[in-house]
Amino acid sequence: MNIIIVRHGQTDWNALEKIQGQTDIELNDVGRQQAEETGKLIKDEKINLIITSPLKRAKETAQIINKNFNVTIIEDKRLMERNFGKSEGLTKCEIRK
């Protein structure tokens, strides 16, 4: 069995270097394009199942990649990013202040 691990595509908060944690941020256009490119890159792999975090950015990445495979997508909250509490939405520089 082979396991392919894919990180979600870019969000606006990624571009701004903000900590996302469990804040449910969607992909931006760059992130959607990254997911499309990833799907093309692995299109010849044998994919039987996709498991994703329930966060929007991860689910959308999985759905875009799944256009090439049309397999079941399972959401598993154990794959969610950790919660960074009050730091979510801040940059590392803002946290240091």
Side-chain angles (χ1 to χ4, degrees):
M1 169 176 50
N2 292 323
I3 297 174
I4 300 171
I5 299 174
V6 175
R7 186 177 187 272
H8 63 77
Q10 185 185 74
T11 68
D12 288 340
W13 279 23
N14 289 138
L16 296 170
E17 298 183 355
K18 291 184 176 188
I19 296 171
Q20 292 178 116
Q22 292 184 359
T23 303
D24 209 4
I25 306 299
E26 296 178 0
L27 296 179
N28 62 20
D29 289 339
V30 171
R32 288 182 193 93
Q33 182 62 38
Q34 290 169 332
E36 291 279 350
E37 291 171 10
T38 300
K40 290 175 187 173
L41 185 68
I42 64 172
K43 69 178 173 48
D44 294 327
E45 298 292 332
K46 182 175 165 83
I47 305 293
N48 299 317
L49 175 70
I50 296 175
I51 305 171
T52 183
S53 158
L55 294 173
K56 291 175 188 174
R57 58 190 180 263
K59 287 192 315 187
E60 187 175 3
T61 300
Q63 291 164 348
I64 292 169
I65 290 171
N66 196 32
K67 291 177 186 176
N68 294 304
F69 303 103
N70 197 30
V71 297
T72 300
I73 298 176
I74 296 173
E75 292 180 26
D76 189 327
K77 66 181 180 181
R78 294 175 295 178
L79 295 176
M80 285 180 69
E81 177 69 67
R82 75 173 85 176
N83 186 320
F84 289 98
K86 294 178 183 177
S87 297
E88 292 186 14
L90 302 176
T91 65
K92 290 178 185 176
C93 291
E94 292 170 329
I95 292 169
R96 287 188 204 123
K97 290 180 183 180

